[in-house]
Structure formats: C-alpha cells, structure tokens
Amino acid sequence: MIALVSLRAYRRFVVVAYRFLPLIVAYLRDRRRFLIFGRSRQVSREMQRERAAVLLDTLLTLGPTFIKLGQLLSTRPDILPKAYIEVLSSLQDDVPPAPWDESKLVIEEELGDVTEVYDEFDTEPISGASLGQVYLAEYEGEQVAVKIRRPGIESLVEADLKVLRWSIPLLVRFIGEGRAFSLDSLADEFAKTIRQEMDYSRERDILEEIRGNFDGNEDIDIPEPIDPVCSPRVLTMEYIPGTKINDVEALDEKGLDRTELATTLQEVYLQMIIEDGVFHADPHPGNLAVKDDGTIIFYDFGMSTTVDPFIQEKIVEFYIAVANQDIDAILDTLIDMGTLSPTADRQVMGDVLELAIADARGENIEQYRVNQIIEQVESTIYEFPLRLPRNLALVLRVATVVEGVCVTLDEDFDFISVATDYLTEEGYREETIKRLAQDAGEQVQDTAEALFTVPPKLNRVLDTVERDNLTVNVQIDDENHVLDKLAKRISYSIIVAVGLLSASIIYSFTGQWRISVAILALTVPMVFFLYRSFKQPTGLRARPQFTRQSMRQQRQRDEER
C-alpha cells in the first residue's frame, strides 16, 4: 500500500508541476524579466488578480486535496497577498458526486448491506463535497442524513500530501522570507487538518461535545448522531431541514427578524471560541439554515477545532481593547498571541486599526485619510512580520465568514456592539479589568521594591568600574554555525583571489599558459564553493524574544526552579 501511494505521488508530482508551471515561470520573470538576465519587474494588483484566477483554476483542476488547500490558503494573509485571498475565498468545496455503486461499497464495508441497515435509502446525494457526500435515508422510522467518505479518497490525499511536502522547499524560493516562515509549517498543519476532516469518528465526537455545550439553548439546533450506524467512514445523523441562512427573501416571507438572527449567530460563535474552546470552523451559508421558528441549524462539523486557554484569554482582551478603541492594547494583544512581531511599525499598524474600527462602526472617514493609510501600508506591509498560529488562522477564517453572513442578514449589523454586550453580560469585561488592575498593582509593588534594591547594586557596580576591576563575560550562541560559514566564505575568497592573481602573474611574466590554466582549473572548485556558500542562508534570523508571553513563560520556569 505504501509503495502504491509513493508511486502515485511521483505521478502526481509531475502533474502538479506541469499545472503550476505557468505561475512558476511568471514568478521567475518577476525576479529577472528574461529568466536568466534582466531587471526585476513590478507586479501590479491587476496582475496579482490574474495570477490568482490561474491559481484558482489550477487548484480546481487538481482535485479534492488542492481544493482544500486553497480553502486553507484563503485564511492565511500571512502567506498570500490580499488579491489572492479575495479570489481564493470564493473557492467552493463542491465537486461532482461519486457514482452510487462506489458509495454503496463504502457503506457495505463499514456497516453491512444497505437494505438491511437502513429502512430506505435515496441514492441521489443531496450535497457533494471534495471529501464526502451526503444522502437522505430512513432509519428506524426516522429520516436521517448519511455522510459517506468519498471512495478512494484516502490514497489520493496521502499521495498529494507527499507532493506538497516535496514542493514546499521549492515554493519557499519564490516568496519573501517573512512568508516563508509561515509556509514552513503549512504542510504539517494541512495534513493534520485534512486527515481530521476525513475521520468521521472524530466529527461525531465533536458534534456530541458542541451539542452538549449548547444543551438547553433553544436558539440553535445541531443534528444528533445515530451511533449504531456511525463509523470512521460513515456518519449518520438526524436530518433537520431548514431555509438557507442567506436566502433573505424566504426569511422575510416567514416573518423572521434578520438582525436577531445575525446577533444570535455571532453570540453562538463567541461562546464556542471564548467560553467552550471548541468550535464549528466552516460557517459558510451552505452549512447554516434557519427553521420556521427562527432556530439556527448547524451542519457539517468536519472542519472543527479547539482553542487553547491562552488564545481564549487573548481574544477576550482583543475584543475589550477594540470596544474601548485602545489601539496600544490591541497591538499588545496581537504581539502576545504571536501574530505581530514587536518590531513592526506600531504607528502604521495603529493607523490601520483605527481605520478598521471606524469602518466596522460605520463611521464616516475622510477619503484623504483612507488614501494616506493605504499608502503607508503598501510601502511597509511586506516588512511586517505577521504570523498566524494554526488555531488563530481558523478563528480568523470563522470571524470573516460569520461577518459575511451577518452583513447579508443585516447591512448595518454592529459586530463590536454585539461582542461588547456579550462580554459584559458574561462578566468577561469586569474580570479582565480586575486582572489588569491586579497586574498593574503587582508592577507597582515590583517598582517600589526596585527603588530600594537597585541603588545599592548600582553603587557596587560603579565602585567596581572605578577600581578598573570590571569583568564582562560574553558567550556567543551559534547554534546555526554562522561563524563557521563566514570563516569558510573568507577562506574561499582568499583562495580564489590568490589563484587568479597567481595565474595572471605567471602568464604575464613567464608566458607559461599551461601552468596558468592549471592554477585556474584548481581555482574553479573554490569559485563554486564560494557561490554556493552565498546561496545558503546564514541562519541569522530575527526572532521576537521579549513578548509578554515569553516573559511569563520564563517567570514560570524560574518559579518552578
């Protein structure tokens, strides 16, 4: 089986390389207009959109794995420019269904004969996706939805994952170092995500957990899994019909309050992310419906994940800072989460955040102010070391998609106001204020202690300096062997210089061209080694060291000692 997957991966690698060849050539020409020589060329926003359209078509052509990859990339502005994000955001996980005979075989391998397991089974799928498809059936007198993993998808996904792991070192050469940092972990992240989505046992467990978290909440409805007819490749759950949440005409005909629906939807996701720590991560309109009484129905929990407590805490702080329009607090929170490097231009980022908050609140913004900020961003955006931790990337995706659904329901929906009210009602604002006040008190106490302890220490240091008895120990941390690489470069450079000079002198004064050629022949390998040393990274890469999170972790380690 492993050998077959590897063989398929080699074939897929050739196909993928062929499909991506036009984009690769275009990126090479950006660096050198005529591939081998020439100046670099400026890439306009329109050119980016054209390339994004080519990328979209390529992903669709390459099939299920790459469709999922495109959806993941559409959540990662730290990897792709905005023009690509906008185009890939329209990527729909909608492919032609597999033949019924193949799907039937999956059911029989997992559960047994279809006619014996289910009372009735409609062989026409009601929805088809890249990894699975859903059918309607009847089980013990109740109508159910049966989700079946697409036949043969496992070997295709594993082969494509190998191709991606082989391809990423090549792709890194076509993007900036900042984006390369984020791309390095993309293959592992994507592999974990797509394997989880193919595991219907995991989906069933998360479905049960989220149902339990909203037990007693009559504003939402989540299908209940039918355990006797569930397996890793088949998921059977109750069928709950409803009106698509973006069908505003039908919702109006039923007399439903769309603003109330938008408020409920956002509050549900705030509870999932901030309070429960496990959330439905694919809230596009195809996975959300509304019952006649206004209850919101959630479908398809394949793309679901968890949020660790630290990120939950920082998201709360972020929302509160946004509600208070405290730009410094927003930036500090982004740095704490690892999303923004402490070296980023705070002035430019602050201007961008002010503009975003004003836009979210529907405030009037002078056009010259907008243009000024856009100009600042365009001149420095590629210098911003932006990072998106895996879970935070999904949180961002959810927030973006939910925002789109809420705006569809109510054009004047105020996200900040709803989030602020929710945090206040649940006591998060009061709790955060108390914690911040406590932290401030501890800082004041530490400062007061320092007023008494620092002067004597400083006085002793100055006395040592005055007696010329000050010793400074310097330890060089060179895990990447940077000094060795630099030493090699210097050695190669000296050898090359001596070789060229010697060959020139011997030929000029003695006319012995054979000896000169021999010396040059011995020098050529050194030229190659010198060139290769400059192509290799030195390992000198700046890493943020002094965020609150790192200092807190250091303090915890010190206390444990």
Side-chain angles (χ1 to χ4, degrees):
M1 179 65 182
I2 296 176
L4 290 176
V5 170
S6 297
L7 183 61
R8 189 173 191 178
Y10 290 125
R11 292 200 303 266
R12 288 288 287 176
F13 184 81
V14 175
V15 174
V16 171
Y18 173 75
R19 292 291 182 182
F20 276 97
L21 186 59
L23 287 173
I24 293 173
V25 171
Y27 292 138
L28 286 173
R29 292 191 63 199
D30 291 343
R31 294 187 173 186
R32 291 186 175 89
R33 187 179 296 272
F34 303 105
L35 296 180
I36 300 176
F37 60 91
R39 295 183 177 181
S40 61
R41 61 179 182 177
Q42 188 69 28
V43 180
S44 66
R45 185 68 175 271
E46 187 59 32
M47 289 175 65
Q48 286 186 338
R49 283 190 162 277
E50 291 175 0
R51 292 180 186 179
V54 174
L55 176 61
L56 177 62
D57 182 65
T58 302
L59 295 173
L60 289 170
T61 303
L62 290 173
T65 311
F66 288 87
I67 291 174
K68 286 294 179 184
L69 177 63
Q71 291 177 333
L72 176 61
L73 288 172
S74 69
T75 70
R76 300 299 298 268
D78 56 329
I79 295 177
L80 290 178
K82 184 178 180 181
Y84 285 79
I85 298 296
E86 291 172 352
V87 173
L88 291 182
S89 296
S90 64
L91 187 61
Q92 296 296 314
D93 187 13
D94 187 12
V95 296
W100 162 243
D101 290 340
E102 297 179 8
S103 299
K104 179 182 177 182
L105 186 61
V106 174
I107 297 178
E108 291 176 345
E109 290 176 352
E110 295 291 314
L111 304 176
D113 187 84
V114 176
T115 57
E116 294 180 2
V117 175
Y118 298 96
D119 302 336
E120 293 182 12
F121 204 103
D122 186 352
T123 58
E124 289 295 326
I126 59 174
S127 70
S130 57
L131 301 180
Q133 47 205 37
V134 181
Y135 297 84
L136 284 180
E138 189 174 305
Y139 178 78
E140 295 185 351
E142 299 291 335
Q143 193 172 31
V144 294
V146 184
K147 186 177 179 181
I148 303 172
R149 190 192 298 173
R150 184 172 284 270
I153 192 66
E154 301 92 337
S155 61
L156 175 62
V157 167
E158 291 302 324
D160 285 342
L161 290 177
K162 284 181 176 290
V163 172
L164 289 175
R165 281 194 293 270
W166 297 339
S167 302
I168 281 182
L170 301 176
L171 295 176
V172 167
R173 300 178 65 87
F174 301 106
I175 60 177
E177 187 170 342
R179 284 182 166 84
F181 182 89
S182 297
L183 191 62
D184 285 342
S185 61
L186 182 66
D188 292 336
E189 172 190 337
F190 177 62
K192 181 178 180 180
T193 300
I194 197 169
R195 285 176 180 139
Q196 286 179 343
E197 194 167 346
M198 288 194 300
D199 184 1
Y200 291 171
S201 295
R202 175 185 178 276
E203 181 176 346
R204 187 201 66 80
D205 293 341
I206 286 188
L207 190 62
E208 288 278 22
E209 182 177 356
I210 296 180
R211 271 178 55 84
N213 291 336
F214 287 92
D215 187 29
N217 189 329
E218 298 180 355
D219 293 328
I220 72 168
D221 202 351
I222 298 173
E224 180 181 4
I226 314 297
D227 289 340
V229 278
C230 289
S231 76
R233 293 199 293 168
V234 178
L235 176 61
T236 304
M237 65 202 100
E238 65 173 321
Y239 176 65
I240 308 175
T243 304
K244 262 192 171 184
I245 199 166
N246 63 341
D247 189 350
V248 293
E249 293 182 1
L251 296 176
D252 289 339
E253 290 176 0
K254 297 178 184 296
L256 298 175
D257 188 332
R258 288 191 274 122
T259 301
E260 185 176 337
L261 289 175
T263 302
T264 299
L265 182 64
Q266 186 179 7
E267 288 179 346
V268 166
Y269 271 97
L270 286 170
Q271 178 182 329
M272 286 184 189
I273 294 170
I274 293 174
E275 187 172 337
D276 301 332
V278 56
F279 63 96
H280 176 270
D282 198 15
H284 66 76
N287 289 336
L288 298 170
V290 183
K291 296 167 72 172
D292 291 345
D293 61 357
T295 303
I296 299 178
I297 311 166
F298 287 75
Y299 302 125
D300 192 358
F301 286 75
M303 190 180 291
S304 302
T305 190
T306 58
V307 188
D308 61 69
F310 175 76
I311 295 295
Q312 285 180 294
E313 175 187 326
K314 292 304 169 185
I315 291 174
V316 171
E317 290 183 10
F318 177 81
Y319 273 117
I320 292 174
V322 170
N324 296 334
Q325 299 191 36
D326 188 341
I327 302 300
D328 285 333
I330 295 175
L331 292 174
D332 288 341
T333 304
L334 293 175
I335 291 172
D336 288 346
M337 287 191 289
T339 302
L340 182 66
S341 169
T343 61
D345 190 326
R346 290 179 70 96
Q347 180 61 45
V348 175
M349 289 300 297
D351 289 342
V352 172
L353 290 171
E354 287 181 359
L355 182 64
I357 293 173
D359 180 64
R361 289 188 176 278
E363 299 175 4
N364 293 324
I365 309 166
E366 299 87 347
Q367 187 60 42
Y368 83 90
R369 177 66 171 156
V370 175
N371 294 338
Q372 183 184 33
I373 293 175
I374 290 175
E375 184 178 349
Q376 285 180 307
V377 172
E378 288 180 344
S379 64
T380 55
I381 188 66
Y382 289 105
E383 298 174 6
F384 287 164
L386 295 171
R387 306 287 180 262
L388 280 179
R390 184 179 66 86
N391 287 350
L392 198 58
L394 276 178
V395 170
L396 178 63
R397 179 184 189 274
V398 166
T400 303
V401 178
V402 169
E403 176 184 353
V405 175
C406 290
V407 168
T408 301
L409 292 170
D410 179 6
E411 294 181 358
D412 300 321
F413 188 72
D414 190 340
F415 305 92
I416 297 176
S417 176
V418 172
T420 302
D421 292 343
Y422 176 84
L423 294 173
T424 302
E425 292 171 3
E426 298 297 323
Y428 286 106
R429 292 193 73 180
E430 183 179 356
E431 180 183 343
T432 301
I433 292 171
K434 287 181 179 178
R435 188 177 67 254
L436 292 176
Q438 182 179 358
D439 291 343
E442 292 176 355
Q443 290 179 3
V444 171
Q445 182 178 354
D446 292 341
T447 302
E449 292 177 359
L451 290 175
F452 292 97
T453 59
V454 170
K457 294 179 180 178
L458 182 59
N459 189 48
R460 287 196 297 271
V461 171
L462 292 175
D463 287 342
T464 304
V465 173
E466 188 176 8
R467 293 194 302 269
D468 295 328
N469 193 29
L470 179 65
T471 302
V472 179
N473 294 322
V474 179
Q475 181 178 355
I476 298 177
D477 185 7
D478 189 19
E479 296 179 357
N480 295 319
H481 306 291
V482 176
L483 296 179
D484 289 343
K485 293 177 182 177
L486 293 177
K488 287 180 180 179
R489 287 182 183 178
I490 294 172
S491 300
Y492 294 148
S493 300
I494 293 174
I495 293 173
V496 170
V498 170
L500 293 176
L501 184 61
S502 301
S504 300
I505 292 174
I506 291 174
Y507 181 74
S508 298
F509 289 95
T510 68
Q512 299 291 329
W513 64 270
R514 289 184 178 86
I515 298 177
S516 299
V517 169
I519 294 174
L520 290 175
L522 294 174
T523 306
V524 167
M526 298 299 107
V527 174
F528 171 74
F529 292 141
L530 178 62
Y531 170 79
R532 191 176 64 174
S533 71
F534 277 103
K535 296 295 288 184
Q536 294 176 345
T538 62
L540 291 173
R541 180 176 296 179
R543 297 181 182 177
Q545 298 292 332
F546 298 107
T547 62
R548 291 184 193 172
Q549 180 184 1
S550 62
M551 289 190 289
R552 180 181 301 159
Q553 292 172 347
Q554 182 63 44
R555 189 163 57 235
Q556 291 175 350
R557 287 194 292 267
D558 293 341
E559 291 175 355
E560 290 174 358
R561 292 173 186 170

